Coordinates of all heavy atoms in Angstrom, one line a residue:
I97 N 8.7 -2.6 -203.3 CA 8.8 -1.7 -202.2 C 9.3 -2.4 -200.9 O 10.0 -1.8 -200.2 CB 7.5 -1.0 -202.0 CG1 7.2 -0.2 -203.3 CG2 7.4 -0.2 -200.7 CD1 6.3 1.0 -203.2
P98 N 8.8 -3.6 -200.6 CA 9.3 -4.2 -199.3 C 10.8 -4.2 -199.2 O 11.3 -4.1 -198.1 CB 8.7 -5.6 -199.3 CG 7.5 -5.5 -200.2 CD 7.9 -4.4 -201.3
Y99 N 11.5 -4.5 -200.3 CA 13.0 -4.6 -200.1 C 13.6 -3.2 -199.7 O 14.6 -3.2 -199.0 CB 13.6 -5.1 -201.4 CG 13.6 -4.1 -202.6 CD1 14.7 -3.2 -202.8 CD2 12.6 -4.1 -203.5 CE1 14.7 -2.3 -203.8 CE2 12.5 -3.2 -204.5 CZ 13.6 -2.3 -204.7 OH 13.6 -1.5 -205.8
I100 N 13.0 -2.1 -200.2 CA 13.5 -0.8 -199.8 C 13.2 -0.6 -198.4 O 14.1 -0.1 -197.6 CB 12.8 0.3 -200.7 CG1 13.3 0.1 -202.1 CG2 13.2 1.7 -200.2 CD1 12.5 1.0 -203.1
V101 N 12.0 -0.9 -197.9 CA 11.7 -0.7 -196.5 C 12.6 -1.6 -195.6 O 13.2 -1.1 -194.6 CB 10.2 -1.1 -196.2 CG1 9.9 -1.1 -194.7 CG2 9.3 -0.1 -196.9
K102 N 12.9 -2.8 -196.1 CA 13.8 -3.7 -195.3 C 15.2 -3.0 -195.3 O 15.8 -3.1 -194.2 CB 13.9 -5.0 -196.0 CG 14.8 -6.0 -195.3 CD 14.8 -7.4 -196.0 CE 15.7 -8.3 -195.3 NZ 15.9 -9.6 -196.1
D103 N 15.7 -2.5 -196.4 CA 17.0 -1.8 -196.3 C 17.0 -0.6 -195.4 O 18.0 -0.4 -194.6 CB 17.4 -1.3 -197.7 CG 17.8 -2.4 -198.7 OD1 18.0 -3.6 -198.2 OD2 17.9 -2.2 -199.9
I104 N 15.9 0.1 -195.4 CA 15.9 1.3 -194.5 C 15.8 0.9 -193.0 O 16.5 1.4 -192.2 CB 14.7 2.2 -194.8 CG1 14.8 2.8 -196.3 CG2 14.5 3.3 -193.8 CD1 13.6 3.5 -196.8
L105 N 15.1 -0.2 -192.8 CA 15.0 -0.7 -191.4 C 16.3 -1.3 -190.9 O 16.5 -1.3 -189.7 CB 13.8 -1.7 -191.3 CG 12.4 -1.1 -191.5 CD1 11.4 -2.3 -191.5 CD2 12.1 -0.1 -190.4
S106 N 17.1 -1.7 -191.8 CA 18.4 -2.3 -191.4 C 19.4 -1.3 -191.0 O 20.5 -1.6 -190.7 CB 18.9 -3.2 -192.5 OG 19.3 -2.4 -193.6
S107 N 19.0 0.0 -190.9 CA 19.9 1.0 -190.6 C 20.3 1.0 -189.1 O 21.0 1.9 -188.6 CB 19.4 2.4 -191.0 OG 18.2 2.7 -190.3
N108 N 19.7 0.0 -188.4 CA 20.1 -0.2 -186.9 C 19.8 1.0 -186.0 O 20.7 1.4 -185.3 CB 21.5 -0.6 -186.8 CG 21.8 -2.0 -187.5 OD1 20.9 -2.9 -187.4 ND2 22.9 -2.1 -188.2
N109 N 18.7 1.6 -186.2 CA 18.3 2.7 -185.4 C 19.2 4.0 -185.5 O 19.2 4.8 -184.6 CB 18.2 2.3 -183.9 CG 17.1 1.3 -183.7 OD1 16.0 1.4 -184.3 ND2 17.2 0.4 -182.8
D110 N 19.9 4.1 -186.5 CA 20.7 5.2 -186.8 C 19.8 6.2 -187.6 O 19.6 6.1 -188.7 CB 21.9 4.8 -187.7 CG 22.8 6.0 -188.0 OD1 22.4 7.2 -187.9 OD2 24.0 5.8 -188.5
I111 N 19.3 7.2 -186.8 CA 18.3 8.1 -187.4 C 18.9 8.9 -188.6 O 18.2 9.1 -189.6 CB 17.8 9.1 -186.3 CG1 16.5 9.8 -186.8 CG2 18.8 10.1 -185.9 CD1 15.3 8.9 -187.0
K112 N 20.2 9.2 -188.6 CA 20.8 9.9 -189.7 C 20.7 9.0 -191.0 O 20.3 9.5 -192.0 CB 22.2 10.4 -189.5 CG 22.8 11.1 -190.6 CD 24.3 11.2 -190.5 CE 25.0 11.9 -191.6 NZ 24.7 11.4 -192.9
L113 N 21.2 7.8 -190.8 CA 21.1 6.9 -192.0 C 19.7 6.6 -192.4 O 19.4 6.6 -193.6 CB 21.8 5.6 -191.6 CG 21.9 4.5 -192.7 CD1 22.6 5.0 -193.9 CD2 22.6 3.3 -192.2
T114 N 18.8 6.5 -191.5 CA 17.4 6.2 -191.8 C 16.9 7.4 -192.6 O 16.2 7.2 -193.7 CB 16.5 6.0 -190.5 OG1 17.0 4.9 -189.9 CG2 15.1 5.8 -190.9
F115 N 17.1 8.6 -192.2 CA 16.6 9.8 -192.9 C 17.3 10.0 -194.2 O 16.7 10.3 -195.2 CB 16.8 11.1 -192.0 CG 15.6 11.4 -191.2 CD1 15.2 10.6 -190.2 CD2 14.8 12.5 -191.5 CE1 14.1 10.9 -189.4 CE2 13.7 12.8 -190.8 CZ 13.3 12.0 -189.7
D116 N 18.6 9.7 -194.3 CA 19.3 9.7 -195.6 C 18.6 8.7 -196.6 O 18.4 9.1 -197.8 CB 20.8 9.4 -195.5 CG 21.6 10.5 -194.8 OD1 21.1 11.6 -194.7 OD2 22.7 10.2 -194.4
M117 N 18.3 7.5 -196.1 CA 17.7 6.5 -197.0 C 16.3 6.9 -197.4 O 15.9 6.8 -198.5 CB 17.8 5.2 -196.3 CG 19.2 4.7 -196.2 SD 19.3 3.0 -195.5 CE 18.9 2.0 -196.9
L118 N 15.5 7.5 -196.4 CA 14.2 7.9 -196.7 C 14.2 9.0 -197.7 O 13.4 9.0 -198.7 CB 13.5 8.4 -195.4 CG 12.9 7.3 -194.5 CD1 12.5 7.9 -193.2 CD2 11.8 6.5 -195.2
E119 N 15.1 10.0 -197.5 CA 15.2 11.1 -198.5 C 15.5 10.6 -199.9 O 15.0 11.1 -200.9 CB 16.2 12.1 -198.0 CG 16.1 13.4 -198.9 CD 16.9 14.6 -198.3 OE1 17.5 14.4 -197.2 OE2 16.9 15.6 -198.9
K120 N 16.4 9.6 -200.0 CA 16.8 9.0 -201.3 C 15.7 8.2 -201.9 O 15.5 8.3 -203.1 CB 18.0 8.2 -201.1 CG 18.6 7.6 -202.3 CD 19.9 6.9 -202.1 CE 20.4 6.3 -203.4 NZ 21.7 5.6 -203.2
Y121 N 15.0 7.4 -201.1 CA 14.1 6.4 -201.7 C 12.6 6.6 -201.5 O 11.8 6.0 -202.1 CB 14.4 5.0 -201.1 CG 15.7 4.4 -201.4 CD1 16.7 4.2 -200.4 CD2 16.1 4.2 -202.7 CE1 17.9 3.7 -200.7 CE2 17.3 3.7 -203.1 CZ 18.2 3.5 -202.1 OH 19.5 3.0 -202.4
A122 N 12.2 7.5 -200.6 CA 10.8 7.7 -200.2 C 10.2 8.9 -200.8 O 9.0 9.2 -200.4 CB 10.6 7.6 -198.7
F123 N 10.9 9.7 -201.5 CA 10.3 10.9 -202.1 C 10.6 11.0 -203.6 O 11.6 10.6 -204.1 CB 10.9 12.2 -201.4 CG 10.6 12.3 -200.0 CD1 11.4 11.8 -199.0 CD2 9.4 12.9 -199.6 CE1 11.0 11.9 -197.7 CE2 9.0 13.0 -198.3 CZ 9.9 12.5 -197.3
P124 N 9.6 11.4 -204.4 CA 9.8 11.5 -205.8 C 10.9 12.5 -206.2 O 11.2 13.4 -205.5 CB 8.4 12.0 -206.3 CG 7.8 12.7 -205.2 CD 8.3 12.0 -203.9
K125 N 11.5 12.2 -207.3 CA 12.6 13.0 -207.8 C 12.1 14.4 -208.3 O 12.8 15.4 -208.2 CB 13.3 12.4 -209.0 CG 13.8 11.0 -208.7 CD 14.9 11.0 -207.6 CE 15.4 9.6 -207.4 NZ 15.2 9.1 -206.1
K126 N 10.8 14.4 -208.8 CA 10.2 15.7 -209.2 C 8.9 15.9 -208.4 O 8.2 14.9 -208.1 CB 9.9 15.7 -210.7 CG 11.1 15.6 -211.6 CD 10.8 15.5 -213.0 CE 12.0 15.4 -213.9 NZ 11.7 15.4 -215.3
P127 N 8.6 17.1 -208.1 CA 7.3 17.4 -207.3 C 6.1 16.7 -208.0 O 5.9 16.9 -209.2 CB 7.2 18.9 -207.3 CG 8.6 19.4 -207.5 CD 9.3 18.3 -208.4
D128 N 5.3 16.0 -207.3 CA 4.1 15.4 -207.7 C 4.2 14.6 -209.0 O 3.4 14.7 -209.9 CB 3.0 16.5 -207.9 CG 2.7 17.2 -206.5 OD1 2.8 16.5 -205.5 OD2 2.4 18.4 -206.5
A129 N 5.3 13.9 -209.1 CA 5.5 13.0 -210.2 C 4.4 11.9 -210.3 O 3.8 11.6 -209.3 CB 6.9 12.3 -210.1
P130 N 4.2 11.3 -211.5 CA 3.1 10.4 -211.6 C 3.3 9.1 -210.7 O 2.3 8.5 -210.3 CB 3.2 9.9 -213.1 CG 4.0 10.9 -213.7 CD 4.9 11.6 -212.7
D131 N 4.5 8.8 -210.3 CA 4.7 7.7 -209.4 C 4.8 8.0 -208.0 O 5.3 7.2 -207.2 CB 6.0 6.9 -209.9 CG 7.2 7.8 -209.9 OD1 7.1 9.0 -209.7 OD2 8.3 7.2 -210.2
T132 N 4.3 9.2 -207.6 CA 4.4 9.6 -206.2 C 3.8 8.6 -205.2 O 4.3 8.4 -204.1 CB 3.7 11.0 -206.0 OG1 4.4 11.9 -206.8 CG2 3.7 11.5 -204.6
D133 N 2.7 7.9 -205.6 CA 2.0 7.0 -204.7 C 3.0 5.9 -204.3 O 2.9 5.4 -203.2 CB 0.8 6.4 -205.4 CG -0.3 7.4 -205.5 OD1 -0.3 8.4 -204.8 OD2 -1.3 7.1 -206.2
Q134 N 3.9 5.4 -205.2 CA 4.8 4.4 -204.8 C 5.8 4.9 -203.7 O 6.1 4.2 -202.8 CB 5.7 4.0 -206.0 CG 4.9 3.2 -207.1 CD 5.8 2.9 -208.2 OE1 6.4 3.8 -208.8 NE2 5.9 1.6 -208.6
Y135 N 6.2 6.1 -203.9 CA 7.1 6.7 -202.8 C 6.3 6.9 -201.5 O 6.9 6.6 -200.5 CB 7.6 8.0 -203.3 CG 8.6 7.9 -204.5 CD1 8.2 8.1 -205.8 CD2 9.9 7.6 -204.3 CE1 9.0 8.0 -206.9 CE2 10.8 7.4 -205.3 CZ 10.4 7.7 -206.6 OH 11.2 7.5 -207.7
L136 N 5.1 7.3 -201.6 CA 4.3 7.5 -200.4 C 4.1 6.2 -199.7 O 4.0 6.2 -198.4 CB 3.0 8.2 -200.8 CG 2.1 8.7 -199.6 CD1 2.8 9.6 -198.7 CD2 0.9 9.3 -200.2
E137 N 4.0 5.2 -200.4 CA 3.8 3.8 -199.8 C 5.0 3.5 -198.9 O 4.8 2.9 -197.8 CB 3.6 2.8 -200.8 CG 3.2 1.4 -200.2 CD 2.9 0.4 -201.3 OE1 2.8 0.8 -202.5 OE2 2.9 -0.8 -200.9
I138 N 6.1 3.9 -199.2 CA 7.3 3.6 -198.4 C 7.2 4.4 -197.1 O 7.4 3.8 -196.0 CB 8.6 4.1 -199.1 CG1 8.8 3.2 -200.4 CG2 9.8 4.0 -198.2 CD1 9.9 3.7 -201.3
I139 N 6.8 5.6 -197.1 CA 6.6 6.4 -195.9 C 5.5 5.8 -195.0 O 5.7 5.6 -193.8 CB 6.3 7.9 -196.2 CG1 7.4 8.6 -196.9 CG2 5.8 8.6 -195.0 CD1 8.6 8.9 -196.0
T140 N 4.4 5.4 -195.6 CA 3.3 4.8 -194.8 C 3.8 3.5 -194.2 O 3.5 3.3 -193.0 CB 2.1 4.6 -195.6 OG1 2.3 3.8 -196.7 CG2 1.5 5.9 -196.1
C141 N 4.5 2.7 -194.9 CA 5.1 1.4 -194.3 C 6.0 1.7 -193.2 O 6.0 1.1 -192.1 CB 5.8 0.6 -195.4 SG 4.7 -0.2 -196.6
M142 N 6.9 2.7 -193.4 CA 7.9 3.0 -192.3 C 7.2 3.5 -191.1 O 7.6 3.1 -190.0 CB 8.9 4.0 -192.8 CG 9.8 3.5 -193.9 SD 10.9 2.2 -193.4 CE 11.7 3.0 -192.0
L143 N 6.2 4.3 -191.2 CA 5.5 4.9 -190.1 C 4.6 3.9 -189.4 O 4.4 4.0 -188.2 CB 4.7 6.1 -190.4 CG 5.6 7.4 -190.8 CD1 4.7 8.5 -191.2 CD2 6.4 7.8 -189.6
K144 N 4.2 2.9 -190.1 CA 3.4 1.8 -189.4 C 4.4 1.0 -188.6 O 4.0 0.5 -187.5 CB 2.8 0.9 -190.5 CG 1.6 1.5 -191.1 CD 1.0 0.5 -192.1 CE -0.2 1.2 -192.8 NZ -0.7 0.5 -194.0
Y145 N 5.6 0.8 -189.1 CA 6.6 0.1 -188.3 C 7.2 0.9 -187.1 O 7.3 0.3 -186.0 CB 7.8 -0.3 -189.2 CG 8.9 -1.0 -188.5 CD1 8.8 -2.4 -188.1 CD2 10.0 -0.4 -188.1 CE1 9.8 -3.0 -187.4 CE2 11.0 -1.0 -187.4 CZ 10.9 -2.3 -187.0 OH 11.9 -2.9 -186.3
D146 N 7.4 2.1 -187.3 CA 8.1 2.9 -186.3 C 7.4 4.3 -186.3 O 7.8 5.2 -187.0 CB 9.6 3.1 -186.5 CG 10.3 3.8 -185.4 OD1 9.6 4.3 -184.5 OD2 11.5 3.9 -185.5
K147 N 6.4 4.5 -185.4 CA 5.7 5.8 -185.3 C 6.6 6.9 -184.9 O 6.3 8.1 -185.1 CB 4.6 5.7 -184.3 CG 3.4 4.8 -184.7 CD 2.5 5.5 -185.7 CE 1.3 4.7 -186.0 NZ 0.5 5.2 -187.1
N148 N 7.7 6.6 -184.2 CA 8.6 7.7 -183.7 C 9.4 8.4 -184.9 O 9.9 9.5 -184.7 CB 9.7 7.1 -182.8 CG 9.0 6.7 -181.4 OD1 8.1 7.4 -181.0 ND2 9.4 5.6 -180.9
L149 N 9.4 7.8 -186.1 CA 10.0 8.4 -187.2 C 9.4 9.8 -187.5 O 10.1 10.7 -187.9 CB 10.0 7.6 -188.5 CG 11.0 6.5 -188.6 CD1 10.7 5.6 -189.8 CD2 12.4 7.0 -188.6
I150 N 8.1 9.9 -187.2 CA 7.4 11.1 -187.5 C 7.9 12.3 -186.6 O 7.8 13.5 -187.0 CB 5.9 11.0 -187.4 CG1 5.2 12.0 -188.3 CG2 5.4 11.1 -185.9 CD1 3.8 11.6 -188.7
K151 N 8.5 12.0 -185.5 CA 9.1 13.0 -184.6 C 10.6 13.2 -184.8 O 11.2 14.1 -184.2 CB 8.9 12.6 -183.2 CG 7.4 12.5 -182.8 CD 7.3 12.0 -181.3 CE 5.8 11.8 -181.0 NZ 5.7 11.2 -179.7
G152 N 11.2 12.3 -185.6 CA 12.6 12.3 -185.8 C 13.1 13.5 -186.6 O 12.3 14.1 -187.4
V153 N 14.4 13.8 -186.5 CA 15.0 14.9 -187.3 C 16.3 14.4 -187.8 O 17.0 13.6 -187.1 CB 15.2 16.2 -186.4 CG1 13.9 16.8 -186.0 CG2 16.1 16.0 -185.2
D154 N 16.7 14.9 -188.9 CA 18.0 14.6 -189.4 C 19.1 15.5 -188.8 O 18.8 16.3 -187.9 CB 18.1 14.7 -191.0 CG 17.9 16.1 -191.5 OD1 17.9 17.1 -190.8 OD2 17.7 16.2 -192.7
E155 N 20.4 15.4 -189.2 CA 21.4 16.1 -188.6 C 21.3 17.6 -188.8 O 21.9 18.4 -188.0 CB 22.8 15.7 -189.1 CG 23.0 15.8 -190.6 CD 24.3 15.2 -191.1 OE1 24.9 14.4 -190.3 OE2 24.7 15.5 -192.2
E156 N 20.5 18.1 -189.7 CA 20.2 19.5 -189.9 C 19.0 20.0 -189.3 O 18.6 21.1 -189.5 CB 20.2 19.8 -191.4 CG 21.5 19.5 -192.1 CD 21.4 19.5 -193.6 OE1 20.3 19.8 -194.2 OE2 22.5 19.3 -194.3
G157 N 18.3 19.1 -188.5 CA 17.1 19.5 -187.8 C 15.8 19.4 -188.6 O 14.8 19.8 -188.2
N158 N 15.9 18.7 -189.8 CA 14.7 18.6 -190.7 C 13.9 17.3 -190.3 O 14.5 16.3 -190.1 CB 15.2 18.4 -192.1 CG 15.8 19.7 -192.6 OD1 15.4 20.8 -192.4 ND2 17.0 19.5 -193.3
T159 N 12.6 17.5 -190.3 CA 11.7 16.4 -190.1 C 11.3 15.9 -191.4 O 11.6 16.4 -192.5 CB 10.4 16.9 -189.3 OG1 9.7 17.8 -190.1 CG2 10.8 17.5 -188.0
L160 N 10.5 14.8 -191.4 CA 10.0 14.2 -192.7 C 9.1 15.3 -193.3 O 9.1 15.4 -194.6 CB 9.2 13.0 -192.4 CG 10.0 11.7 -192.0 CD1 9.1 10.6 -191.7 CD2 11.0 11.4 -193.1
L161 N 8.4 16.1 -192.6 CA 7.5 17.1 -193.1 C 8.4 18.2 -193.8 O 8.1 18.6 -194.9 CB 6.7 17.8 -192.1 CG 5.7 18.8 -192.5 CD1 4.7 18.3 -193.6 CD2 4.9 19.4 -191.4
H162 N 9.5 18.6 -193.2 CA 10.4 19.5 -193.8 C 10.9 19.0 -195.2 O 10.9 19.7 -196.2 CB 11.6 19.8 -193.0 CG 11.4 20.6 -191.7 ND1 11.7 20.2 -190.5 CD2 10.8 21.8 -191.6 CE1 11.3 21.1 -189.6 NE2 10.8 22.1 -190.2
I163 N 11.3 17.7 -195.2 CA 11.8 17.1 -196.4 C 10.7 17.1 -197.5 O 11.0 17.4 -198.6 CB 12.4 15.7 -196.1 CG1 13.6 15.8 -195.2 CG2 12.8 15.0 -197.4 CD1 14.1 14.5 -194.6
A164 N 9.5 16.7 -197.1 CA 8.4 16.6 -198.0 C 8.1 18.0 -198.6 O 7.9 18.1 -199.8 CB 7.1 16.0 -197.3
C165 N 8.1 19.0 -197.8 CA 7.9 20.4 -198.3 C 9.0 20.8 -199.3 O 8.7 21.3 -200.3 CB 7.8 21.3 -197.2 SG 6.3 21.2 -196.2
A166 N 10.3 20.5 -198.9 CA 11.4 20.9 -199.7 C 11.4 20.1 -201.1 O 11.7 20.7 -202.1 CB 12.7 20.6 -199.0
K167 N 10.9 18.9 -201.1 CA 10.8 18.1 -202.3 C 9.6 18.5 -203.1 O 9.4 18.1 -204.3 CB 10.7 16.6 -202.0 CG 12.0 16.1 -201.3 CD 13.0 15.7 -202.3 CE 14.2 15.0 -201.6 NZ 15.2 14.7 -202.6
G168 N 8.7 19.3 -202.5 CA 7.5 19.7 -203.2 C 6.4 18.6 -203.4 O 5.6 18.7 -204.4
S169 N 6.4 17.6 -202.6 CA 5.5 16.5 -202.7 C 4.3 16.7 -201.9 O 4.2 16.4 -200.7 CB 6.2 15.2 -202.3 OG 5.3 14.2 -202.4
N170 N 3.2 17.3 -202.5 CA 2.0 17.6 -201.8 C 1.4 16.4 -201.2 O 0.9 16.4 -200.0 CB 1.0 18.3 -202.7 CG 1.4 19.7 -203.0 OD1 2.1 20.4 -202.2 ND2 1.1 20.2 -204.1
P171 N 1.3 15.2 -201.8 CA 0.8 14.0 -201.2 C 1.5 13.6 -199.9 O 0.8 13.2 -198.9 CB 0.9 12.9 -202.3 CG 0.9 13.7 -203.6 CD 1.7 14.9 -203.3
H172 N 2.8 13.7 -199.9 CA 3.5 13.4 -198.7 C 3.2 14.4 -197.6 O 3.0 14.0 -196.4 CB 5.1 13.5 -199.0 CG 5.6 12.3 -199.7 ND1 5.4 12.1 -201.0 CD2 6.4 11.3 -199.2 CE1 6.0 10.9 -201.3 NE2 6.6 10.4 -200.3
V173 N 3.1 15.7 -197.9 CA 2.8 16.7 -196.9 C 1.4 16.4 -196.3 O 1.2 16.4 -195.1 CB 2.9 18.1 -197.5 CG1 2.3 19.1 -196.6 CG2 4.3 18.5 -197.9
K174 N 0.4 16.2 -197.2 CA -0.9 15.9 -196.7 C -0.9 14.6 -195.8 O -1.6 14.6 -194.8 CB -1.9 15.7 -197.9 CG -2.2 17.0 -198.6 CD -3.0 16.7 -199.8 CE -3.3 18.0 -200.6 NZ -4.0 17.8 -201.8
Y175 N -0.2 13.6 -196.2 CA -0.2 12.4 -195.4 C 0.4 12.6 -194.1 O -0.1 12.2 -193.0 CB 0.5 11.2 -196.1 CG 0.7 10.1 -195.3 CD1 -0.4 9.2 -195.0 CD2 1.9 9.8 -194.6 CE1 -0.3 8.1 -194.1 CE2 2.0 8.7 -193.8 CZ 1.0 7.9 -193.5 OH 1.1 6.8 -192.7
L176 N 1.6 13.3 -194.1 CA 2.2 13.5 -192.8 C 1.4 14.4 -191.9 O 1.3 14.2 -190.7 CB 3.6 14.2 -193.0 CG 4.6 13.2 -193.7 CD1 5.8 14.0 -194.2 CD2 5.0 12.1 -192.7
L177 N 0.7 15.4 -192.4 CA -0.2 16.2 -191.6 C -1.3 15.4 -191.1 O -1.8 15.6 -189.9 CB -0.7 17.4 -192.4 CG 0.4 18.5 -192.7 CD1 -0.2 19.6 -193.7 CD2 0.9 19.1 -191.4
S178 N -1.8 14.5 -191.9 CA -2.9 13.6 -191.4 C -2.5 12.7 -190.3 O -3.3 12.2 -189.5 CB -3.5 12.8 -192.5 OG -2.7 11.7 -192.8
Q179 N -1.2 12.5 -190.1 CA -0.6 11.6 -189.1 C -0.3 12.5 -187.8 O 0.3 12.0 -186.9 CB 0.6 10.9 -189.6 CG 0.3 10.0 -190.7 CD -0.7 8.9 -190.3 OE1 -0.5 8.2 -189.4 NE2 -1.8 8.9 -191.0
R180 N -0.8 13.7 -187.8 CA -0.6 14.6 -186.7 C 0.9 14.9 -186.4 O 1.3 15.0 -185.2 CB -1.3 14.1 -185.5 CG -2.8 13.8 -185.7 CD -3.5 13.7 -184.4 NE -4.8 13.1 -184.5 CZ -5.9 13.5 -185.3 NH1 -5.7 14.5 -186.0 NH2 -7.0 12.9 -185.2
V181 N 1.6 15.1 -187.5 CA 3.0 15.5 -187.3 C 3.0 16.9 -186.6 O 2.2 17.7 -186.9 CB 3.8 15.5 -188.7 CG1 3.2 16.5 -189.6 CG2 5.3 15.7 -188.5
E182 N 4.0 17.1 -185.8 CA 4.1 18.3 -185.1 C 4.6 19.4 -186.0 O 5.6 19.2 -186.8 CB 5.1 18.2 -183.9 CG 5.1 19.4 -183.0 CD 6.0 19.2 -181.8 OE1 5.9 18.1 -181.2 OE2 6.8 20.1 -181.5
V183 N 3.9 20.5 -186.0 CA 4.2 21.6 -186.9 C 4.6 22.8 -186.1 O 3.8 23.2 -185.2 CB 3.0 22.0 -187.8 CG1 3.3 23.2 -188.7 CG2 2.5 20.8 -188.6
D184 N 5.8 23.3 -186.3 CA 6.2 24.5 -185.5 C 7.1 25.4 -186.4 O 7.6 25.1 -187.4 CB 6.9 24.2 -184.2 CG 8.1 23.3 -184.4 OD1 8.8 23.4 -185.4 OD2 8.5 22.6 -183.4

């Protein structure tokens, strides 16, 4: 997992690239897959490094919470809500 986080962090503050990489690597391919915890660990590591990611949006206006909901990952949704992500 650290190599994935390192790759994501190397996006040089390009929020679009960061979100593209997070969407690709930090969410399970199927809702609530058995390996969801591994994917969730990537999100938790990223948010420990950069708390502002929780407020970020991609080019379509989606937040991490939007992506988690669209992917159907309940553990991600619960975690993001526990981090006081803005809901509107």
Side-chain angles (χ1 to χ4, degrees):
I97 296 205
Y99 71 90
I100 294 171
V101 172
K102 183 179 177 185
D103 286 347
I104 295 170
L105 292 175
S106 69
S107 63
N108 297 321
N109 295 326
D110 180 342
I111 195 70
K112 180 193 177 310
L113 180 57
T114 300
F115 267 69
D116 287 348
M117 293 182 81
L118 282 171
E119 189 166 1
K120 182 176 181 180
Y121 296 116
F123 293 93
K125 305 296 181 243
K126 296 180 180 179
D128 298 326
D131 57 354
T132 297
D133 288 346
Q134 289 178 307
Y135 292 98
L136 187 55
E137 188 176 346
I138 295 169
I139 293 288
T140 59
C141 287
M142 292 298 301
L143 289 177
K144 285 179 185 172
Y145 175 78
D146 185 355
K147 292 278 187 193
N148 290 323
L149 280 176
I150 206 155
K151 297 176 185 175
V153 294
D154 67 10
E155 62 187 13
E156 296 170 0
N158 295 315
T159 65
L160 290 176
L161 182 60
H162 289 123
I163 295 168
C165 290
K167 297 276 187 181
S169 180
N170 290 332
H172 282 75
V173 171
K174 288 177 185 177
Y175 173 75
L176 291 167
L177 289 173
S178 76
Q179 297 302 301
R180 306 195 194 303
V181 65
E182 189 173 314
V183 180
D184 60 29

